[in-house]
Amino acid sequence: MSFSHLNRRGVIAAGLASAALPRIAFASGLTDKRLVIVLLRGAMDGLTAAPAFGDPDYERARNGIGTPRPGDGDGAALDLNGFFGLYPALRGMHARYSKGELVVFHAIASPYRDRSHFDGQNLLENGSAAPFGLADGWANRALEGLPDAMKSGRKDLGIAIAASMPLMMRGAAPVTSWSPSILPAPNVDLVARIKAMYDVGDPVLAKALSAAADANGAAAGSGQGSDAFAVLMGAAARFMKAPDGPCLAMVESAGWDTHANQLGAFGVLSRNLAGLDQGIDALADGLGAKWSDTAVLIMTEFGRTVAMNGTRGTDHGTAGAAFLVGGAVKGGRVIADWPGLRPGDLYAGRDLKPTADLRSLMKAMLVEHLGVDSGHVERVVFPDSQGAPMTTGLFRT
Amino acid sequence: MNLQDAAIAANRFGLGARPGQIRTIASDPRGWLKAQLTPETTPPAPIAALPRTEAATEAFNTWLKSIGLTAANATGLYEKSSGVASMGAGARMGAPGLPPGVSIEQSFIRTLGPGYAQAVQARMQVAISTERPYFERLVRFWGNHFTVSGSKPNAFPIVGIVERDVVRSRCTGRFHDMLLASCKHPGMLIYLDNYVSIGPNSVIAKNPGVLPPFLREILKGLNENLGREILELHTLGVRSGYTQADVTSLAKVITGWMVRQREGQDRTESNSGADASSMFIFRSAAHEPGPQSVLGKTYAQTGLAQGEAALTDIARHPSTARFLATKLVRHFISDEPPPSAVERIAKVFRDTEGDLLAVSVALVDTPEAWDAGLQKFKPPEDYLTSALRALNGKPELSGQQLIALLSRMGQRPFYAPGPNGWADTGGEWIGPDAIWKRVEWADALAKGVADAKIDPSLIAQEALGPSLTPSTLHAIKLAESPAQGLALFLTAPEFQRR
């Protein structure tokens, strides 16, 4: 009932040649894309990850934790466009910016405006405009709206590289989860008997067990026994590389809540950013040629205070930075409506003011990259998001 | 005799039935639960044998000193690291006092790991052998409520004693006593950064010269982490109406609530309010002077009394009653807390000004708790505990084995991912990978303990009573071996749920 991969490409090529391709046919032709969502739990300090060193108030406003401007010593920022830079640990990301694979978004936030991690993450994952506004996740709802051609032949549309299913991935669409293990695989007959037991009266456990048995078949040979971020990203690549592999993966990274001593030789933020950079490289390496069909969104629940707090860290804030990286991304750009860092420019007198909505970019990656129907995205994936129109032109065509 | 209620008492309120227990308690399941709610005067022996508060609190700095680092030049080690690994790349750097070929991370684990493993094993030993499983569930509940996680390296040596110091003697007392004990415990003060938070107008902020040099580097200004989490996670609950100004004010109110430094007295230290046996100290020179307004009430007290008064009020606030009642009902009864049950518990909390004995009794008397439907899914720690109880404590697992096992299942002991503690709904725990890890473990365990003499259907009947379904019993009886039958029992829906 669906075209084979090659046949669909043939159809697109013919359509383009005639220059009369209806929009819908084009969307359904975006068949073999991959999307990875990296959620940095704990609130990444966007002004460290992507310093706005060109802002005349940057150094003063950060009062001690500003990243030095490019060329200014060892810990200096890597220049992007003379105004924004990247933290020096993000060397691989910087190279990808130069290759046109990275877009940096700044002063961007979800609609959440309070400062609870747990509410902030819940909103970011459920996709409504309120914490606990919906009981399932936007990524799962998005998968339900994939073109039929993309759904067919795939057992799992998405995968979470996590020991438990994150809210963002929960819902009716078929998704699975996986994390590294070191125990020997259980006997096949035992698994069949357990499955039969679950089939009698516990569909929730039955579904989970089937998905796990499939994932563990697919993950053979993945980097087992480690939970470093790069290993998780490498595993995501292994799953997604298969022609019928999941088209969406979610990978989590925890430990971004840097209230104290965030920088320096032992600083947890420096270390996390270096790990993030290695993770992107591991994903790209693992995907090989598939990287050119891939986009990765890196986001966090909110930003952190502009000024350093009393303990050489930062407290919960509002807007921050997000990254869109991948072979399918039309990159080499910073997209920001910069609000400034003077005291009067700050949100609530302390935070970077949000001037962009993460959902604008999420909509683009669902519609323009994965080919999810835009009506479905507006109505079902991100209800109450009229104020966040889709950002266009983020992907290579 | 009510075997159904007995199974609910042992499994839903307790830590899982031991062989014979369901019949033993069937004459009065509710009475059996309530009789467990007496104050604990002395902790069980394995818990009492854990290190003293002073030793656990000083262990991190002692270790730092042993490898030639100080608080000032190893600041990054204090912070939470990513994932479940105790430390990341930064810890692989060298330190002057390390033996050749040993990384900071290896040294950390070798020095401080044994204490952690001891605490994990002690907790499991008590959970398996206790005659008061409902009491132990309450200890776990409140310990999780006031989470101190080992994900932060300088809290790591302390996590195993927090339940003993803060919860065990108070979980049948008044909630405000437990809140104050938590806020004064070195574990919480370190985990949520209050030990380095000073008032912007405090003596120390105005004149850092009063401090000895080793503190001057650390004490720089206000940190609102604990203040926020008290309101959001420990008392009122998020979105209950407090503001950023309330958070900042409460953070100021508890400035000076700190941890005694091993280096001994300095000129800014004062002992007022310090419990002689604890590591808590109120440092008045770090305290923000002047009245503070929290939740619309002004606290004009000076010193420690200001924070004690504010926290006592917050602990008795109606929002706190509702928030805690919801959490308790969600924990013991259903992922979807019935409003009638929540209101019942909240009313008892309000009427008794937070008497946790009355609240725990009221939970037992809540009709919704005795519905035969299995509405809760056991998190890994409780799942493993109930399995070992059903198997009469066999096999005996070392602390290291328990840590490895529970980490794989997604619940490394004393290592909650954040200050909100472990999740308490099935959706958080029932993922394909989590279920698979249980199957792997059940298979490995069954192969290890099952010999021809065990009877898995009898073990299942003893553990589950009337909750064991005919189809599961049938599957166990049809198993190809006792080991496989045991694995089927351990993975059965009615054993993973309660």
PDB file of all heavy atoms in Angstrom, chain B residues 83-102:
ATOM      1  N   GLY B  83      23.342  12.288  34.975  1.00  0.00           N
ATOM      2  CA  GLY B  83      23.031  10.864  34.988  1.00  0.00           C
ATOM      3  C   GLY B  83      23.179  10.237  36.359  1.00  0.00           C
ATOM      4  O   GLY B  83      23.101  10.895  37.376  1.00  0.00           O
ATOM      5  N   VAL B  84      23.391   8.959  36.369  1.00  0.00           N
ATOM      6  CA  VAL B  84      23.519   8.275  37.648  1.00  0.00           C
ATOM      7  C   VAL B  84      24.977   8.101  38.049  1.00  0.00           C
ATOM      8  O   VAL B  84      25.269   7.711  39.162  1.00  0.00           O
ATOM      9  CB  VAL B  84      22.842   6.889  37.636  1.00  0.00           C
ATOM     10  CG1 VAL B  84      21.360   7.034  37.450  1.00  0.00           C
ATOM     11  CG2 VAL B  84      23.426   5.998  36.564  1.00  0.00           C
ATOM     12  N   ALA B  85      25.898   8.377  37.141  1.00  0.00           N
ATOM     13  CA  ALA B  85      27.306   8.283  37.525  1.00  0.00           C
ATOM     14  C   ALA B  85      27.580   9.302  38.619  1.00  0.00           C
ATOM     15  O   ALA B  85      27.002  10.369  38.645  1.00  0.00           O
ATOM     16  CB  ALA B  85      28.189   8.562  36.322  1.00  0.00           C
ATOM     17  N   SER B  86      28.431   8.955  39.547  1.00  0.00           N
ATOM     18  CA  SER B  86      28.628   9.857  40.677  1.00  0.00           C
ATOM     19  C   SER B  86      29.436  11.074  40.262  1.00  0.00           C
ATOM     20  O   SER B  86      29.288  12.138  40.801  1.00  0.00           O
ATOM     21  CB  SER B  86      29.299   9.122  41.817  1.00  0.00           C
ATOM     22  OG  SER B  86      30.537   8.619  41.391  1.00  0.00           O
ATOM     23  N   MET B  87      30.307  10.933  39.325  1.00  0.00           N
ATOM     24  CA  MET B  87      31.086  12.082  38.869  1.00  0.00           C
ATOM     25  C   MET B  87      31.374  11.945  37.387  1.00  0.00           C
ATOM     26  O   MET B  87      31.402  10.870  36.828  1.00  0.00           O
ATOM     27  CB  MET B  87      32.424  12.156  39.578  1.00  0.00           C
ATOM     28  CG  MET B  87      32.296  12.623  41.000  1.00  0.00           C
ATOM     29  SD  MET B  87      33.925  12.977  41.635  1.00  0.00           S
ATOM     30  CE  MET B  87      33.520  13.112  43.347  1.00  0.00           C
ATOM     31  N   GLY B  88      31.658  13.068  36.761  1.00  0.00           N
ATOM     32  CA  GLY B  88      31.932  13.031  35.333  1.00  0.00           C
ATOM     33  C   GLY B  88      33.393  13.304  35.030  1.00  0.00           C
ATOM     34  O   GLY B  88      34.282  13.060  35.847  1.00  0.00           O
ATOM     35  N   ALA B  89      33.611  13.877  33.846  1.00  0.00           N
ATOM     36  CA  ALA B  89      34.972  14.016  33.336  1.00  0.00           C
ATOM     37  C   ALA B  89      35.866  14.857  34.251  1.00  0.00           C
ATOM     38  O   ALA B  89      37.049  14.573  34.403  1.00  0.00           O
ATOM     39  CB  ALA B  89      34.924  14.639  31.948  1.00  0.00           C
ATOM     40  N   GLY B  90      35.271  15.879  34.877  1.00  0.00           N
ATOM     41  CA  GLY B  90      36.076  16.752  35.722  1.00  0.00           C
ATOM     42  C   GLY B  90      36.773  15.985  36.822  1.00  0.00           C
ATOM     43  O   GLY B  90      37.885  16.305  37.235  1.00  0.00           O
ATOM     44  N   ALA B  91      36.110  14.922  37.283  1.00  0.00           N
ATOM     45  CA  ALA B  91      36.666  14.162  38.390  1.00  0.00           C
ATOM     46  C   ALA B  91      37.810  13.262  37.954  1.00  0.00           C
ATOM     47  O   ALA B  91      38.479  12.673  38.779  1.00  0.00           O
ATOM     48  CB  ALA B  91      35.571  13.324  39.030  1.00  0.00           C
ATOM     49  N   ARG B  92      38.009  13.164  36.647  1.00  0.00           N
ATOM     50  CA  ARG B  92      39.134  12.339  36.211  1.00  0.00           C
ATOM     51  C   ARG B  92      40.437  13.128  36.226  1.00  0.00           C
ATOM     52  O   ARG B  92      41.500  12.604  35.930  1.00  0.00           O
ATOM     53  CB  ARG B  92      38.854  11.761  34.823  1.00  0.00           C
ATOM     54  CG  ARG B  92      37.841  10.611  34.882  1.00  0.00           C
ATOM     55  CD  ARG B  92      37.783   9.816  33.591  1.00  0.00           C
ATOM     56  NE  ARG B  92      36.910  10.455  32.611  1.00  0.00           N
ATOM     57  CZ  ARG B  92      35.591  10.291  32.599  1.00  0.00           C
ATOM     58  NH1 ARG B  92      34.991   9.537  33.503  1.00  0.00           N
ATOM     59  NH2 ARG B  92      34.861  10.883  31.688  1.00  0.00           N
ATOM     60  N   MET B  93      40.335  14.404  36.554  1.00  0.00           N
ATOM     61  CA  MET B  93      41.553  15.200  36.674  1.00  0.00           C
ATOM     62  C   MET B  93      42.332  14.761  37.905  1.00  0.00           C
ATOM     63  O   MET B  93      41.834  14.073  38.768  1.00  0.00           O
ATOM     64  CB  MET B  93      41.183  16.672  36.794  1.00  0.00           C
ATOM     65  CG  MET B  93      40.430  17.168  35.566  1.00  0.00           C
ATOM     66  SD  MET B  93      40.001  18.884  35.731  1.00  0.00           S
ATOM     67  CE  MET B  93      41.629  19.617  35.791  1.00  0.00           C
ATOM     68  N   GLY B  94      43.523  15.204  37.970  1.00  0.00           N
ATOM     69  CA  GLY B  94      44.380  14.786  39.074  1.00  0.00           C
ATOM     70  C   GLY B  94      44.189  15.624  40.323  1.00  0.00           C
ATOM     71  O   GLY B  94      43.468  16.608  40.339  1.00  0.00           O
ATOM     72  N   ALA B  95      44.805  15.177  41.398  1.00  0.00           N
ATOM     73  CA  ALA B  95      44.870  15.937  42.634  1.00  0.00           C
ATOM     74  C   ALA B  95      46.210  15.599  43.266  1.00  0.00           C
ATOM     75  O   ALA B  95      46.696  14.469  43.118  1.00  0.00           O
ATOM     76  CB  ALA B  95      43.722  15.561  43.568  1.00  0.00           C
ATOM     77  N   PRO B  96      46.812  16.578  43.951  1.00  0.00           N
ATOM     78  CA  PRO B  96      48.183  16.376  44.426  1.00  0.00           C
ATOM     79  C   PRO B  96      48.360  15.169  45.340  1.00  0.00           C
ATOM     80  O   PRO B  96      49.403  14.523  45.319  1.00  0.00           O
ATOM     81  CB  PRO B  96      48.497  17.685  45.170  1.00  0.00           C
ATOM     82  CG  PRO B  96      47.217  18.431  45.269  1.00  0.00           C
ATOM     83  CD  PRO B  96      46.307  17.924  44.208  1.00  0.00           C
ATOM     84  N   GLY B  97      47.320  14.834  46.104  1.00  0.00           N
ATOM     85  CA  GLY B  97      47.508  13.759  47.074  1.00  0.00           C
ATOM     86  C   GLY B  97      47.105  12.379  46.590  1.00  0.00           C
ATOM     87  O   GLY B  97      47.061  11.437  47.376  1.00  0.00           O
ATOM     88  N   LEU B  98      46.783  12.248  45.310  1.00  0.00           N
ATOM     89  CA  LEU B  98      46.335  10.942  44.813  1.00  0.00           C
ATOM     90  C   LEU B  98      47.524  10.012  44.566  1.00  0.00           C
ATOM     91  O   LEU B  98      48.539  10.446  44.043  1.00  0.00           O
ATOM     92  CB  LEU B  98      45.586  11.113  43.491  1.00  0.00           C
ATOM     93  CG  LEU B  98      44.171  11.650  43.541  1.00  0.00           C
ATOM     94  CD1 LEU B  98      43.676  11.892  42.122  1.00  0.00           C
ATOM     95  CD2 LEU B  98      43.242  10.686  44.259  1.00  0.00           C
ATOM     96  N   PRO B  99      47.368   8.724  44.893  1.00  0.00           N
ATOM     97  CA  PRO B  99      48.408   7.769  44.493  1.00  0.00           C
ATOM     98  C   PRO B  99      48.473   7.708  42.962  1.00  0.00           C
ATOM     99  O   PRO B  99      47.470   7.979  42.294  1.00  0.00           O
ATOM    100  CB  PRO B  99      47.909   6.429  45.062  1.00  0.00           C
ATOM    101  CG  PRO B  99      46.782   6.771  45.972  1.00  0.00           C
ATOM    102  CD  PRO B  99      46.243   8.099  45.557  1.00  0.00           C
ATOM    103  N   PRO B 100      49.619   7.348  42.410  1.00  0.00           N
ATOM    104  CA  PRO B 100      49.749   7.282  40.954  1.00  0.00           C
ATOM    105  C   PRO B 100      48.720   6.324  40.349  1.00  0.00           C
ATOM    106  O   PRO B 100      48.449   5.263  40.906  1.00  0.00           O
ATOM    107  CB  PRO B 100      51.174   6.741  40.730  1.00  0.00           C
ATOM    108  CG  PRO B 100      51.862   6.841  42.048  1.00  0.00           C
ATOM    109  CD  PRO B 100      50.835   6.941  43.111  1.00  0.00           C
ATOM    110  N   GLY B 101      48.140   6.700  39.248  1.00  0.00           N
ATOM    111  CA  GLY B 101      47.224   5.815  38.540  1.00  0.00           C
ATOM    112  C   GLY B 101      45.817   5.782  39.112  1.00  0.00           C
ATOM    113  O   GLY B 101      44.972   5.058  38.615  1.00  0.00           O
ATOM    114  N   VAL B 102      45.553   6.549  40.150  1.00  0.00           N
ATOM    115  CA  VAL B 102      44.214   6.567  40.739  1.00  0.00           C
ATOM    116  C   VAL B 102      43.554   7.904  40.408  1.00  0.00           C
ATOM    117  O   VAL B 102      44.149   8.958  40.633  1.00  0.00           O
ATOM    118  CB  VAL B 102      44.285   6.384  42.272  1.00  0.00           C
ATOM    119  CG1 VAL B 102      42.905   6.505  42.887  1.00  0.00           C
ATOM    120  CG2 VAL B 102      44.900   5.033  42.604  1.00  0.00           C
TER     121      VAL B 102
END
